[in-house]
Amino acid sequence: MIKKRTSDTFNELSWFHGGDIEFCEWQIPPPARTAHKLLMNYSFVFLTTDRHYATKSGTKLAVAALHNDYWHEGWVSGNVFKYAWENVDLDHHFQSEISRDCEQFDIGREEMNIIFSQNLTRSLIEYICRCALDLGYDGLFGHERDENGIAQPVLAIFREKVLSSPVWIQQNGYGDLII
């Protein structure tokens, strides 16, 4: 897991890429080399914070920043944990799924809308967490909006070994917490 302070530092740095050709957008895999045709081509884009080191990879030099705002702000605000769509065809598909489920499980439309929305959101969260697990992370920290729209911190743990044993908390008759 990357601590917030470290990730902020990564975002503030300039990242340099050296190569033989110029391009308008990043491409993975990157375009094949024009010089040194016998060298194996990389499948990924590599960058460094050392400008001089980057120039050793070619005569062209590009600089980039980590554009985390497309998901990071949503992760911090909790909006990533809410599935939203604007596609009319997708909405029709979801509405027909909800209608079918209402009949199949004999549940009212309002209740099924809530269940369907929660299951859709949970499947998205599961997908994000599964990707992070596959990348080797032990957990993922983010935020989820509560019923009042307030972003609450959430920590998803993928491996038991990173947690201490649970200490269960009791309440006395006055509502005070007892450990």
Side-chain angles (χ1 to χ4, degrees):
M1 224 185 302
I2 296 177
K3 294 180 181 176
K4 181 159 179 36
R5 189 171 6 152
T6 305
S7 65
D8 285 347
T9 301
F10 282 148
N11 295 332
E12 293 168 6
L13 292 172
S14 292
W15 293 91
F16 296 98
H17 173 81
D20 294 326
I21 57 174
E22 289 185 16
F23 42 84
C24 293
E25 297 293 331
W26 296 104
Q27 212 177 307
I28 298 178
R33 296 173 178 261
T34 55
H36 311 294
K37 292 184 185 208
L38 295 178
L39 287 176
M40 181 180 93
N41 289 312
Y42 281 118
S43 298
F44 305 99
V45 172
F46 290 88
L47 303 112
T48 179
T49 57
D50 187 317
R51 181 180 182 157
H52 177 70
Y53 184 67
T55 60
K56 293 181 179 184
S57 295
T59 58
K60 311 285 185 186
L61 183 67
V63 65
L66 295 179
H67 301 297
N68 66 348
D69 55 322
Y70 72 96
W71 70 270
H72 188 262
E73 289 303 318
W75 193 262
V76 171
S77 70
N79 289 336
V80 164
F81 283 95
K82 301 298 177 206
Y83 197 92
W85 61 90
E86 296 176 3
N87 183 303
V88 175
D89 293 333
L90 184 60
D91 186 56
H92 288 328
H93 173 73
F94 286 162
Q95 294 307 318
S96 66
E97 292 280 317
I98 291 168
S99 295
R100 187 199 69 216
D101 289 348
C102 286
E103 290 178 26
Q104 181 178 353
F105 298 107
D106 194 28
I107 295 176
R109 183 88 179 178
E110 186 175 331
E111 185 179 359
M112 187 50 74
N113 278 335
I114 293 168
I115 293 169
F116 186 85
S117 178
Q118 285 184 352
N119 283 338
L120 195 58
T121 299
R122 287 179 181 208
S123 67
L124 176 63
I125 294 167
E126 283 289 318
Y127 177 76
I128 291 168
C129 290
R130 176 70 50 200
C131 290
L133 172 65
D134 291 346
L135 289 171
Y137 289 94
D138 292 327
L140 197 57
F141 175 80
H143 291 83
E144 180 177 19
R145 291 195 176 275
D146 66 14
E147 64 278 357
N148 299 314
I150 298 169
Q152 299 291 345
V154 174
L155 180 62
I157 297 297
F158 312 140
R159 301 179 209 285
E160 304 91 350
K161 67 180 181 176
V162 301
L163 290 175
S164 66
S165 299
V167 176
W168 297 101
I169 299 172
Q170 307 288 327
Q171 289 188 32
N172 65 16
Y174 303 104
D176 299 321
L177 298 179
I178 304 169
I179 297 179

